[in-house]
Amino acid sequence: MAEGLAQAARDGDAAAVARWLHAGAEVDAVNTTGRTPLDLAVYAGHTETVRLLLAAGADPRQRAGEYGELTPLCLAAMHGHTAVVGILLDAGAPTGAQGRLNHVPLVLAATVVEQGHPQTVALLLRHGADINAVMKDKTPLEWTAAFGQVQMAHQLLALGATPTAKALSEARAGAERFPEAAQKYALIVDALHAAGIQD
């Protein structure tokens, strides 16, 4: 049963998920790879299946990811599954540091891909995520400065992120490490100067 429910969740087959649950499958049972139906549905971005599993009692704070290092919200944020993020937040998923490694969903949404996931970032902030939350000693803005993510740095500043001297130093260090991307880092330095951070 656990394997059948997990497969249906992975495939986004909401009707099959409903059948397995009606037949008595445990909603948070792990499959042979150690992953739950919610984990697999979130990873694949299947909104209706995620909603159905949560309504059946799936734990929105459970471990998720290939190594159980994440939570469903972290997983959805990383992949930019904005609609799934919204469903999980409505189900009570917390926005702060979570999972075995204390990941911050906002940092993941902002930094996992080069442009970040702007819609996911905006949704997390509308649901009360702390724009200055710290993950591994850096705020989301400081991470984007370190990675040279111009667009996301601008978005975070526009949404109220606190400009910091650390963000400035991260951008400068990035330009030194990656001279081929110096122009991107210079744009972030300019944005931080415009936001009031002085040398």
Side-chain angles (χ1 to χ4, degrees), residues 4-19:
L5 177 57
Q7 183 66 50
R10 182 189 300 113
D11 295 343
D13 187 341
V17 167
R19 285 196 300 274

PDB file of all heavy atoms in Angstrom, residues 4-19:
ATOM      1  N   GLY A   4       2.237   1.872  -3.428  1.00  0.00           N
ATOM      2  CA  GLY A   4       1.205   2.310  -4.367  1.00  0.00           C
ATOM      3  C   GLY A   4       0.827   3.762  -4.151  1.00  0.00           C
ATOM      4  O   GLY A   4       0.698   4.538  -5.114  1.00  0.00           O
ATOM      5  N   LEU A   5       0.648   4.166  -2.887  1.00  0.00           N
ATOM      6  CA  LEU A   5       0.301   5.558  -2.583  1.00  0.00           C
ATOM      7  C   LEU A   5       1.439   6.485  -2.983  1.00  0.00           C
ATOM      8  O   LEU A   5       1.207   7.549  -3.569  1.00  0.00           O
ATOM      9  CB  LEU A   5      -0.012   5.702  -1.088  1.00  0.00           C
ATOM     10  CG  LEU A   5      -0.324   7.120  -0.596  1.00  0.00           C
ATOM     11  CD1 LEU A   5      -1.492   7.725  -1.368  1.00  0.00           C
ATOM     12  CD2 LEU A   5      -0.607   7.113   0.901  1.00  0.00           C
ATOM     13  N   ALA A   6       2.666   6.073  -2.686  1.00  0.00           N
ATOM     14  CA  ALA A   6       3.820   6.901  -3.049  1.00  0.00           C
ATOM     15  C   ALA A   6       3.910   7.089  -4.559  1.00  0.00           C
ATOM     16  O   ALA A   6       4.164   8.205  -5.038  1.00  0.00           O
ATOM     17  CB  ALA A   6       5.101   6.278  -2.508  1.00  0.00           C
ATOM     18  N   GLN A   7       3.685   6.034  -5.309  1.00  0.00           N
ATOM     19  CA  GLN A   7       3.747   6.126  -6.771  1.00  0.00           C
ATOM     20  C   GLN A   7       2.666   7.053  -7.309  1.00  0.00           C
ATOM     21  O   GLN A   7       2.912   7.883  -8.190  1.00  0.00           O
ATOM     22  CB  GLN A   7       3.599   4.733  -7.388  1.00  0.00           C
ATOM     23  CG  GLN A   7       3.727   4.714  -8.912  1.00  0.00           C
ATOM     24  CD  GLN A   7       5.114   5.090  -9.382  1.00  0.00           C
ATOM     25  OE1 GLN A   7       6.108   4.549  -8.914  1.00  0.00           O
ATOM     26  NE2 GLN A   7       5.199   6.049 -10.295  1.00  0.00           N
ATOM     27  N   ALA A   8       1.460   6.926  -6.759  1.00  0.00           N
ATOM     28  CA  ALA A   8       0.359   7.791  -7.203  1.00  0.00           C
ATOM     29  C   ALA A   8       0.665   9.254  -6.890  1.00  0.00           C
ATOM     30  O   ALA A   8       0.392  10.152  -7.691  1.00  0.00           O
ATOM     31  CB  ALA A   8      -0.942   7.362  -6.531  1.00  0.00           C
ATOM     32  N   ALA A   9       1.259   9.496  -5.716  1.00  0.00           N
ATOM     33  CA  ALA A   9       1.608  10.867  -5.335  1.00  0.00           C
ATOM     34  C   ALA A   9       2.695  11.417  -6.245  1.00  0.00           C
ATOM     35  O   ALA A   9       2.631  12.571  -6.679  1.00  0.00           O
ATOM     36  CB  ALA A   9       2.071  10.898  -3.877  1.00  0.00           C
ATOM     37  N   ARG A  10       3.687  10.605  -6.541  1.00  0.00           N
ATOM     38  CA  ARG A  10       4.780  11.028  -7.422  1.00  0.00           C
ATOM     39  C   ARG A  10       4.246  11.385  -8.805  1.00  0.00           C
ATOM     40  O   ARG A  10       4.701  12.334  -9.449  1.00  0.00           O
ATOM     41  CB  ARG A  10       5.811   9.912  -7.537  1.00  0.00           C
ATOM     42  CG  ARG A  10       7.022  10.279  -8.390  1.00  0.00           C
ATOM     43  CD  ARG A  10       7.925   9.083  -8.671  1.00  0.00           C
ATOM     44  NE  ARG A  10       8.449   8.488  -7.467  1.00  0.00           N
ATOM     45  CZ  ARG A  10       8.140   7.267  -7.016  1.00  0.00           C
ATOM     46  NH1 ARG A  10       7.271   6.511  -7.679  1.00  0.00           N
ATOM     47  NH2 ARG A  10       8.672   6.791  -5.910  1.00  0.00           N
ATOM     48  N   ASP A  11       3.262  10.600  -9.260  1.00  0.00           N
ATOM     49  CA  ASP A  11       2.689  10.823 -10.594  1.00  0.00           C
ATOM     50  C   ASP A  11       1.666  11.951 -10.629  1.00  0.00           C
ATOM     51  O   ASP A  11       1.217  12.345 -11.709  1.00  0.00           O
ATOM     52  CB  ASP A  11       2.021   9.537 -11.095  1.00  0.00           C
ATOM     53  CG  ASP A  11       3.022   8.413 -11.326  1.00  0.00           C
ATOM     54  OD1 ASP A  11       4.234   8.705 -11.417  1.00  0.00           O
ATOM     55  OD2 ASP A  11       2.586   7.246 -11.393  1.00  0.00           O
ATOM     56  N   GLY A  12       1.254  12.420  -9.455  1.00  0.00           N
ATOM     57  CA  GLY A  12       0.227  13.453  -9.421  1.00  0.00           C
ATOM     58  C   GLY A  12      -1.156  12.932  -9.759  1.00  0.00           C
ATOM     59  O   GLY A  12      -2.020  13.684 -10.218  1.00  0.00           O
ATOM     60  N   ASP A  13      -1.368  11.658  -9.535  1.00  0.00           N
ATOM     61  CA  ASP A  13      -2.666  11.031  -9.833  1.00  0.00           C
ATOM     62  C   ASP A  13      -3.552  11.151  -8.592  1.00  0.00           C
ATOM     63  O   ASP A  13      -3.598  10.246  -7.744  1.00  0.00           O
ATOM     64  CB  ASP A  13      -2.435   9.571 -10.218  1.00  0.00           C
ATOM     65  CG  ASP A  13      -3.697   8.887 -10.709  1.00  0.00           C
ATOM     66  OD1 ASP A  13      -4.806   9.400 -10.419  1.00  0.00           O
ATOM     67  OD2 ASP A  13      -3.580   7.834 -11.366  1.00  0.00           O
ATOM     68  N   ALA A  14      -4.259  12.265  -8.493  1.00  0.00           N
ATOM     69  CA  ALA A  14      -5.053  12.546  -7.294  1.00  0.00           C
ATOM     70  C   ALA A  14      -6.138  11.491  -7.078  1.00  0.00           C
ATOM     71  O   ALA A  14      -6.429  11.124  -5.933  1.00  0.00           O
ATOM     72  CB  ALA A  14      -5.669  13.943  -7.380  1.00  0.00           C
ATOM     73  N   ALA A  15      -6.735  11.010  -8.155  1.00  0.00           N
ATOM     74  CA  ALA A  15      -7.785   9.997  -8.015  1.00  0.00           C
ATOM     75  C   ALA A  15      -7.213   8.716  -7.412  1.00  0.00           C
ATOM     76  O   ALA A  15      -7.826   8.105  -6.522  1.00  0.00           O
ATOM     77  CB  ALA A  15      -8.429   9.713  -9.376  1.00  0.00           C
ATOM     78  N   ALA A  16      -6.034   8.306  -7.868  1.00  0.00           N
ATOM     79  CA  ALA A  16      -5.407   7.103  -7.329  1.00  0.00           C
ATOM     80  C   ALA A  16      -4.986   7.318  -5.879  1.00  0.00           C
ATOM     81  O   ALA A  16      -5.113   6.419  -5.038  1.00  0.00           O
ATOM     82  CB  ALA A  16      -4.203   6.705  -8.177  1.00  0.00           C
ATOM     83  N   VAL A  17      -4.506   8.513  -5.559  1.00  0.00           N
ATOM     84  CA  VAL A  17      -4.157   8.832  -4.168  1.00  0.00           C
ATOM     85  C   VAL A  17      -5.376   8.675  -3.282  1.00  0.00           C
ATOM     86  O   VAL A  17      -5.320   8.061  -2.209  1.00  0.00           O
ATOM     87  CB  VAL A  17      -3.580  10.264  -4.059  1.00  0.00           C
ATOM     88  CG1 VAL A  17      -3.518  10.724  -2.605  1.00  0.00           C
ATOM     89  CG2 VAL A  17      -2.188  10.324  -4.681  1.00  0.00           C
ATOM     90  N   ALA A  18      -6.496   9.226  -3.743  1.00  0.00           N
ATOM     91  CA  ALA A  18      -7.742   9.128  -2.963  1.00  0.00           C
ATOM     92  C   ALA A  18      -8.146   7.669  -2.769  1.00  0.00           C
ATOM     93  O   ALA A  18      -8.587   7.283  -1.681  1.00  0.00           O
ATOM     94  CB  ALA A  18      -8.853   9.914  -3.659  1.00  0.00           C
ATOM     95  N   ARG A  19      -7.979   6.851  -3.801  1.00  0.00           N
ATOM     96  CA  ARG A  19      -8.344   5.438  -3.698  1.00  0.00           C
ATOM     97  C   ARG A  19      -7.466   4.719  -2.673  1.00  0.00           C
ATOM     98  O   ARG A  19      -7.962   3.944  -1.853  1.00  0.00           O
ATOM     99  CB  ARG A  19      -8.237   4.748  -5.068  1.00  0.00           C
ATOM    100  CG  ARG A  19      -9.365   5.077  -6.029  1.00  0.00           C
ATOM    101  CD  ARG A  19      -9.430   4.105  -7.187  1.00  0.00           C
ATOM    102  NE  ARG A  19      -8.209   4.080  -7.985  1.00  0.00           N
ATOM    103  CZ  ARG A  19      -7.963   4.915  -8.998  1.00  0.00           C
ATOM    104  NH1 ARG A  19      -8.864   5.843  -9.325  1.00  0.00           N
ATOM    105  NH2 ARG A  19      -6.846   4.808  -9.681  1.00  0.00           N
TER     106      ARG A  19
END
